Amino acid sequence: EALRASEARLAQVLASAPDAIVTLDDALRVASFNPAALRIFDCSAEALGGCAFDTLLTPALAAQLREQVGALPPGTTAWSPPGHAARRADGTTFPVEYTVARLDAAGACGCVLMLRDVAARERALAEIAELEQTRRFLLHEARVGSDDGRHARAPAMQALWRDVAAVAQADSTVLVIGETGSGKERIVHA
C-alpha cells in the first residue's frame, strides 16, 4: 500500500512539472516521459515513445548531450545553460536549457533529461530591453525637449515633458489624445 501511494505521488509530481522530463535508455531512445514533454515537443505519445531522442534536438545539442551522458558517472548530473535549441515534431526549433542525470538502476544504465523551453523568457527579456531603451530615450527627450529646440522652451512644452518624464517612470497605461501633427507619436512610446 505504501509503495502504491509513493508511486501515485511521484506520478502527480511528474504530471504537474512544467518542464519536459524524459528518461532515455543507453541508446538515448525515449523510455518514458511526462505530459509536459508532449506539449513542449508538440507531438503524440506514440511519436515520442521509443524514438531516438536526438531527432528532437538540433545536431549541436544532440552531440553535446551524447558527450555529456557518456562522460557522466552514474548518479551525477550536469546542467546546461541557455544557448541551445531543440526541435518540435514539425521541425521548428526553440531555445532550451536542460539538466541531465546519469542513472544506474539494477544494472540498466540510462539517463533522465529535464528540458525547459525558454522561448517565452527570451521574448520577455527582449521586450524588457526594448522598453528600457524607449524609456531612456523618452527620459532624455523630456530633459532636452524636441529635436530642433524651437518648441522646447515654450512653457507648455516644458510642462508636457515634465509630465512625460513622470509617467515614463511608472508602470501604467496612458491615453494620449491630440490633433494630427501635434507630436503624439513621440509621446506614445512611453
Side-chain angles (χ1 to χ4, degrees):
E1 187 63 33
L3 178 60
R4 271 187 242 172
S6 176
E7 288 174 347
R9 277 193 304 277
L10 178 59
Q12 287 178 339
V13 168
L14 293 175
S16 66
D19 299 335
I21 302 174
V22 180
T23 58
L24 307 172
D25 62 19
D26 273 340
L28 296 184
R29 297 187 78 73
V30 175
S32 64
F33 48 87
N34 69 340
L38 299 175
R39 179 183 48 78
I40 287 172
F41 291 108
D42 194 25
C43 64
S44 67
E46 295 76 23
L48 187 56
C51 81
F53 195 72
D54 58 1
T55 61
L56 294 173
L57 307 175
T58 59
L61 182 54
Q64 178 177 326
L65 182 62
R66 284 188 183 282
E67 183 179 319
Q68 279 183 316
V69 169
L72 277 177
T76 60
T77 62
W79 175 77
S80 178
H84 300 288
R87 271 196 302 246
R88 299 194 201 286
D90 66 3
T92 58
T93 60
F94 59 100
V96 296
E97 61 187 24
Y98 69 90
T99 300
V100 62
R102 183 80 167 152
L103 305 174
D104 187 12
C109 292
C111 64
V112 61
L113 181 69
M114 290 146 288
L115 188 133
R116 175 171 291 160
D117 180 348
V118 295
R121 180 193 315 159
E122 288 187 2
R123 283 190 304 272
L125 289 173
E127 185 176 345
I128 288 168
E130 184 179 323
L131 289 169
E132 177 61 21
Q133 183 179 8
T134 300
R135 185 187 72 82
R136 287 178 188 207
F137 167 78
L138 290 169
L139 286 174
H140 172 75
E141 286 294 305
R143 283 192 292 277
V144 300
S146 65
D147 291 336
D148 62 9
R150 284 185 311 182
H151 301 87
R153 291 179 294 278
M157 289 304 292
Q158 290 295 317
L160 174 65
W161 287 118
R162 279 191 302 276
D163 291 345
V164 168
V167 172
Q169 295 179 36
D171 182 19
S172 61
T173 302
V174 177
L175 174 63
V176 178
I177 57 174
E179 295 180 15
T180 301
S182 62
K184 296 182 301 293
E185 61 279 352
R186 293 191 68 194
I187 295 171
V188 87
H189 290 110

